[in-house]
Amino acid sequence: MADSDIEVVIVGAGAAGIAAARRLKEAGIGCLLIEARARLGGRALTTNDPFGMPIDLGCGWLHSADRNPWTGIAEAQGRTIDRTPPPWMRATTPTGAPSPQQTSFQKAILKFRARVAAFSEEDPDRAAASLLAPRGRWNDLLNAVSTYYSGAELDRISLRDLVRYEDTGVNWRVVEGYGTAIAAHGAGLPARLGCVVEAIDHGGRRLELQTSEGTIRADRAIITVPSDLIAREAIRFSPGLPDKAEAASGLPLGLADKLFLSLADGEEFEADSRLWGSMDRMDTATYHIRPFGRPQIESYFGGCLAAELEKGGEAAFFDHASSELAGAFGRKFAARIKPIGMHAWKTDPYARGSYSYALPGKADCRAVLAASVDDRLFFAGEACSRNDYSTAHGAYLTGVEAAKRIIACRRSRS
């Protein structure tokens, strides 16, 4: 590979990279997406189950869907938007009837969220776990819930970062798959797949990117790889960028894995219902039963539990799910479920996790990571978003912003 006439190279073809490339192409600026994987989409991944039904192994919910740009993009593609309220908005018993335990937990989580909302930017940052009630009855389950939306337990989460997250509370799904819509948005963009960027020299007149397929030269680059890869210096910068590595280290990737199960004779369950594996432990999964009314169970595992289970592969996840579901529905229930799909995001070499969270005291690292270098190196991705981190729309918005900065620089030079 000896590309020398590229104006902008975009490293990573996930939501941020695709958004940036699309915006640059619309502005008439030559660009090239470089992606280590053999596919577009990054941490958005839709596959099909054995019956041909799409399942999202990466991001699956259009969070803040009423202002999420992917909603309009998916609709423009002819996708179907399912506006059914998410399962976490309803009771979690098999029958859907409230129980005294659920009522008690609901009160606890509302009180915890109220304490989070009362945190002021003027207060010193600290771990979100500091807001748990001392020896609280529901502290373990509150920690489990944190692993589903942050990918980590509350003792690792910056309270300031948690407060900054903005959510409209509207959550929809793409029936054909969120990952399908994101990858399709990249169709027709110039891209090199299966090409790993190993080093970027930004000390000369032009950038030189050393890749697994040779050297690529460009005027500018947008880096959209996950924060963990920047922290690990998986891409070597010359001159070095220690401030970027340090900032990325403050924004580690949390872990949220999903195991999809087929469900035989599941008509007894209401569509889009949900069940806790246990309400008394931190190391528990939550189960979305019959998503879209399909004969499936979407199982969520987060934080330390997911990391430990990844060591044993899919079989370990299935054993854990079988045990919890049998405990809820009886020993014979295990014969009604089979694993049909999952992706281990922590052991994925091009992800190393699911989405970023800020360590206590590190919320401002997002701005440091997002800052450009000499108007030649630009950074984007969900970890660069102050208010929409951990989401595909946060990634999208930072990708568009990076592209706009390049367009502005180009106009200024002209």
Side-chain angles (χ1 to χ4, degrees):
M1 184 183 295
D3 295 278
S4 58
D5 296 322
I6 299 170
E7 188 165 348
V8 182
V9 164
I10 302 164
V11 183
I18 289 171
R22 181 65 63 189
R23 183 68 184 86
L24 290 171
K25 185 178 180 181
E26 291 170 354
I29 296 177
C31 62
L32 175 67
L33 279 164
I34 303 180
E35 170 57 49
R37 297 181 175 89
R39 61 171 181 83
L40 300 174
R43 285 170 280 170
L45 172 60
T46 303
T47 62
N48 289 329
D49 74 1
F51 305 101
M53 289 181 285
I55 53 177
D56 274 315
L57 301 182
C59 56
W61 287 93
L62 289 159
H63 296 302
S64 297
D66 50 343
R67 66 172 179 85
N68 187 326
W70 290 113
T71 302
I73 291 169
E75 288 179 321
Q77 294 173 359
R79 313 289 175 196
T80 307
I81 305 299
D82 185 281
R83 291 169 169 79
T84 303
W88 60 84
M89 299 296 291
R90 60 181 69 184
T92 58
T93 57
T95 61
S99 68
Q101 277 194 322
Q102 282 195 65
T103 302
S104 177
F105 173 68
Q106 200 60 33
K107 289 179 179 178
I109 198 169
L110 289 175
K111 289 180 179 178
F112 176 76
R113 289 172 178 169
R115 291 192 290 270
V116 171
F119 176 80
S120 170
E121 283 274 359
E122 307 303 319
D123 297 332
D125 193 15
R126 59 188 190 275
S130 65
L131 297 185
L132 291 172
R135 298 178 297 281
R137 163 72 176 86
W138 298 110
N139 286 357
D140 282 348
L141 192 55
L142 288 168
N143 261 302
V145 171
S146 174
T147 70
Y148 306 145
Y149 61 75
S150 292
E153 291 72 15
L154 292 167
D155 64 327
R156 294 185 58 79
I157 303 296
S158 159
L159 188 51
R160 176 170 286 119
D161 197 54
L162 192 58
V163 168
R164 286 176 177 174
Y165 181 76
E166 296 179 354
D167 183 19
T168 67
V170 179
N171 298 277
W172 298 334
R173 302 193 94 176
V174 182
V175 174
E176 297 82 4
Y178 203 169
T180 297
I182 291 174
H185 196 54
L189 294 173
R192 299 290 177 99
L193 303 181
C195 182
V196 180
V197 175
E198 299 163 346
I200 300 177
D201 187 338
H202 58 106
R205 187 179 66 85
R206 304 194 77 205
L207 304 179
E208 289 194 1
L209 290 84
Q210 302 300 323
T211 80
S212 56
E213 297 186 10
T215 301
I216 298 176
R217 295 174 179 83
D219 296 325
R220 293 182 173 89
I222 302 176
I223 316 302
T224 74
V225 300
S227 56
D228 195 76
L229 299 186
I230 296 176
R232 292 169 179 254
E233 299 186 82
I235 298 176
R236 302 184 306 277
F237 290 95
S238 178
L241 298 177
D243 58 329
K244 295 294 184 184
E246 182 179 357
S249 295
L251 304 168
L253 290 189
L255 184 59
D257 287 332
K258 294 186 282 188
L259 170 68
F260 280 82
L261 306 169
S262 63
L263 173 63
D265 304 317
E267 291 76 13
E268 69 193 86
F269 298 102
E270 181 184 355
D272 293 298
S273 55
R274 188 177 65 144
L275 172 77
W276 299 112
S278 169
M279 296 189 73
D280 299 314
R281 299 196 315 270
M282 188 186 309
D283 57 342
T284 186
T286 185
Y287 302 92
H288 181 183
I289 303 173
R290 296 187 63 215
F292 301 112
R294 296 168 180 166
Q296 299 172 347
I297 299 177
E298 190 174 359
S299 314
Y300 290 81
F301 304 80
C304 293
L305 172 62
E308 183 62 29
L309 291 175
E310 279 202 13
K311 297 176 183 178
E314 183 180 292
F317 285 88
F318 181 66
D319 287 346
H320 188 101
S322 296
S323 176
E324 290 196 321
L325 291 170
F329 302 121
R331 183 169 49 85
K332 293 182 180 180
F333 190 82
R336 297 170 57 186
I337 57 174
K338 293 180 181 179
I340 56 176
M342 76 162 292
H343 186 85
W345 289 104
K346 187 173 182 62
T347 52
D348 182 325
Y350 306 122
R352 299 294 184 184
S354 300
Y355 34 70
S356 69
Y357 64 91
L359 293 168
K362 302 297 183 180
D364 292 336
C365 287
R366 297 195 186 278
V368 176
L369 185 60
S372 62
V373 177
D374 300 326
D375 285 337
R376 302 177 76 201
L377 296 178
F378 298 80
F379 293 80
E382 55 85 13
C384 294
S385 175
R386 185 181 190 272
N387 305 116
D388 297 303
Y389 56 84
S390 83
T391 67
H393 68 271
Y396 176 97
L397 293 171
T398 62
V400 170
E401 179 61 26
K404 287 181 177 179
R405 290 178 185 174
I406 287 177
I407 294 168
C409 288
R410 193 172 185 255
R411 288 173 179 167
S412 176
R413 185 182 64 183
S414 298

